[in-house]
Amino acid sequence: MSQNLALYQQLGPEKFSAAIGTVAPYFASVEPEFVDLRKGFAEVRIRNQRKVHNHIGTVHAIALCNGAELVAGTCTDVSIPTGARWLPIGMTVQYLAKAKTDIRVVTEAEAVDWAQPGNIEVPVAAYDTEGTKVFSAVITMNVKH
């Protein structure tokens, strides 16, 4: 089992969310709140607050990217075989609608073949509180065994 998955299960979502910002400080900038983390799945909530806004008062595109990399990375970490390493090497994004509310950032990657080494594409989507998809991404993770 991944150390991060064990830590998530031990601490629970709230304490794990706080701890992730000490491991990777940039993630703390959006104050992510983990909802769920398991093999092939991760979900965080990013609150709609001024510090993540752009000039028009909506959640900034890069805050969405930050959340996407967080869910893709933690999902990859808890899904790859023990002893494997990973590194994000690319991200393709689409901004689909203005993010005007709290945002739910999700990777549903149960169908990904986590056992394969090399480049793995991890899908991510972000939704507003009405269920509108405001953002989608594919993050390429390079996995080495």
Side-chain angles (χ1 to χ4, degrees):
M1 174 187 296
S2 155
Q3 288 180 346
N4 280 329
L5 184 56
L7 190 61
Y8 176 80
Q9 292 172 345
Q10 178 185 5
L11 296 178
E14 186 176 331
K15 288 182 181 176
F16 183 81
S17 298
I20 203 75
T22 62
V23 175
Y26 186 69
F27 290 129
S29 68
V30 296
E31 295 182 13
E33 299 169 4
F34 272 82
V35 175
D36 196 4
L37 177 62
R38 61 182 185 273
K39 183 176 180 176
F41 186 88
E43 180 177 342
V44 300
R45 181 175 159 250
I46 296 174
R47 288 183 298 119
N48 179 23
Q49 53 187 328
R50 189 176 191 288
K51 73 183 211 168
V52 298
H53 282 179
N54 56 26
H55 66 288
I56 60 172
T58 61
V59 178
H60 194 283
I62 299 305
L64 296 170
C65 289
N66 192 340
E69 187 174 343
L70 177 58
V71 295
T74 52
C75 180
T76 299
D77 187 73
V78 304
S79 300
I80 60 176
T82 301
R85 298 173 300 144
W86 61 274
L87 184 69
I89 62 167
M91 179 187 300
T92 303
V93 301
Q94 290 184 306
Y95 306 107
L96 306 171
K98 290 179 183 175
K100 299 177 182 179
T101 68
D102 290 353
I103 301 297
R104 185 172 65 93
V105 186
V106 182
T107 182
E108 296 178 274
E110 292 90 349
V112 170
D113 181 3
W114 295 105
Q116 72 173 353
N119 292 344
I120 296 176
E121 293 187 342
V122 182
V124 178
Y127 303 90
D128 67 14
T129 57
E130 303 297 317
T132 301
K133 186 189 277 189
V134 298
F135 170 93
S136 67
V138 175
I139 300 181
T140 304
M141 299 293 189
N142 183 260
V143 177
K144 295 187 188 289
H145 291 215

PDB file of all heavy atoms in Angstrom, residues 16 25 82 86 112-113 119 131:
ATOM      1  N   PHE A  16      -5.421  14.952   6.440  1.00  0.00           N
ATOM      2  CA  PHE A  16      -4.594  14.671   5.269  1.00  0.00           C
ATOM      3  C   PHE A  16      -4.532  15.899   4.366  1.00  0.00           C
ATOM      4  O   PHE A  16      -3.463  16.231   3.844  1.00  0.00           O
ATOM      5  CB  PHE A  16      -5.141  13.463   4.496  1.00  0.00           C
ATOM      6  CG  PHE A  16      -4.299  13.077   3.315  1.00  0.00           C
ATOM      7  CD1 PHE A  16      -3.151  12.313   3.473  1.00  0.00           C
ATOM      8  CD2 PHE A  16      -4.653  13.473   2.033  1.00  0.00           C
ATOM      9  CE1 PHE A  16      -2.371  11.952   2.382  1.00  0.00           C
ATOM     10  CE2 PHE A  16      -3.877  13.125   0.935  1.00  0.00           C
ATOM     11  CZ  PHE A  16      -2.732  12.363   1.110  1.00  0.00           C
ATOM     12  N   PRO A  25       4.214  22.381  -0.758  1.00  0.00           N
ATOM     13  CA  PRO A  25       3.659  23.661  -0.314  1.00  0.00           C
ATOM     14  C   PRO A  25       2.773  24.391  -1.337  1.00  0.00           C
ATOM     15  O   PRO A  25       1.822  25.061  -0.943  1.00  0.00           O
ATOM     16  CB  PRO A  25       4.891  24.487   0.036  1.00  0.00           C
ATOM     17  CG  PRO A  25       5.928  23.480   0.381  1.00  0.00           C
ATOM     18  CD  PRO A  25       5.658  22.313  -0.526  1.00  0.00           C
ATOM     19  N   THR A  82       3.726  -1.034  -5.853  1.00  0.00           N
ATOM     20  CA  THR A  82       4.674  -0.722  -4.790  1.00  0.00           C
ATOM     21  C   THR A  82       6.081  -0.675  -5.367  1.00  0.00           C
ATOM     22  O   THR A  82       6.467  -1.539  -6.149  1.00  0.00           O
ATOM     23  CB  THR A  82       4.590  -1.782  -3.676  1.00  0.00           C
ATOM     24  OG1 THR A  82       3.264  -1.802  -3.170  1.00  0.00           O
ATOM     25  CG2 THR A  82       5.569  -1.474  -2.545  1.00  0.00           C
ATOM     26  N   TRP A  86       6.778   7.985  -9.992  1.00  0.00           N
ATOM     27  CA  TRP A  86       6.031   8.714 -11.016  1.00  0.00           C
ATOM     28  C   TRP A  86       6.447  10.176 -11.024  1.00  0.00           C
ATOM     29  O   TRP A  86       6.924  10.714 -10.031  1.00  0.00           O
ATOM     30  CB  TRP A  86       4.522   8.596 -10.785  1.00  0.00           C
ATOM     31  CG  TRP A  86       4.091   9.161  -9.457  1.00  0.00           C
ATOM     32  CD1 TRP A  86       4.078   8.514  -8.256  1.00  0.00           C
ATOM     33  CD2 TRP A  86       3.632  10.496  -9.198  1.00  0.00           C
ATOM     34  NE1 TRP A  86       3.645   9.368  -7.262  1.00  0.00           N
ATOM     35  CE2 TRP A  86       3.363  10.593  -7.818  1.00  0.00           C
ATOM     36  CE3 TRP A  86       3.431  11.611 -10.000  1.00  0.00           C
ATOM     37  CZ2 TRP A  86       2.886  11.752  -7.228  1.00  0.00           C
ATOM     38  CZ3 TRP A  86       2.966  12.772  -9.403  1.00  0.00           C
ATOM     39  CH2 TRP A  86       2.695  12.829  -8.029  1.00  0.00           C
ATOM     40  N   VAL A 112      -7.624   2.935 -15.941  1.00  0.00           N
ATOM     41  CA  VAL A 112      -6.213   3.102 -16.304  1.00  0.00           C
ATOM     42  C   VAL A 112      -5.443   1.841 -15.918  1.00  0.00           C
ATOM     43  O   VAL A 112      -5.641   1.285 -14.837  1.00  0.00           O
ATOM     44  CB  VAL A 112      -5.614   4.342 -15.598  1.00  0.00           C
ATOM     45  CG1 VAL A 112      -4.111   4.400 -15.771  1.00  0.00           C
ATOM     46  CG2 VAL A 112      -6.270   5.605 -16.123  1.00  0.00           C
ATOM     47  N   ASP A 113      -4.551   1.397 -16.797  1.00  0.00           N
ATOM     48  CA  ASP A 113      -3.683   0.253 -16.494  1.00  0.00           C
ATOM     49  C   ASP A 113      -2.485   0.755 -15.695  1.00  0.00           C
ATOM     50  O   ASP A 113      -1.465   1.146 -16.254  1.00  0.00           O
ATOM     51  CB  ASP A 113      -3.232  -0.432 -17.791  1.00  0.00           C
ATOM     52  CG  ASP A 113      -2.354  -1.647 -17.531  1.00  0.00           C
ATOM     53  OD1 ASP A 113      -2.126  -2.003 -16.343  1.00  0.00           O
ATOM     54  OD2 ASP A 113      -1.883  -2.248 -18.510  1.00  0.00           O
ATOM     55  N   ASN A 119       4.499   6.215 -19.997  1.00  0.00           N
ATOM     56  CA  ASN A 119       3.563   7.334 -19.889  1.00  0.00           C
ATOM     57  C   ASN A 119       2.134   6.839 -19.721  1.00  0.00           C
ATOM     58  O   ASN A 119       1.649   6.034 -20.512  1.00  0.00           O
ATOM     59  CB  ASN A 119       3.671   8.237 -21.111  1.00  0.00           C
ATOM     60  CG  ASN A 119       5.002   8.957 -21.157  1.00  0.00           C
ATOM     61  OD1 ASN A 119       5.725   9.018 -20.169  1.00  0.00           O
ATOM     62  ND2 ASN A 119       5.332   9.506 -22.304  1.00  0.00           N
ATOM     63  N   GLY A 131     -23.060  21.168 -10.866  1.00  0.00           N
ATOM     64  CA  GLY A 131     -22.737  19.967 -11.637  1.00  0.00           C
ATOM     65  C   GLY A 131     -22.232  20.253 -13.043  1.00  0.00           C
ATOM     66  O   GLY A 131     -22.002  19.331 -13.820  1.00  0.00           O
TER      67      GLY A 131
END
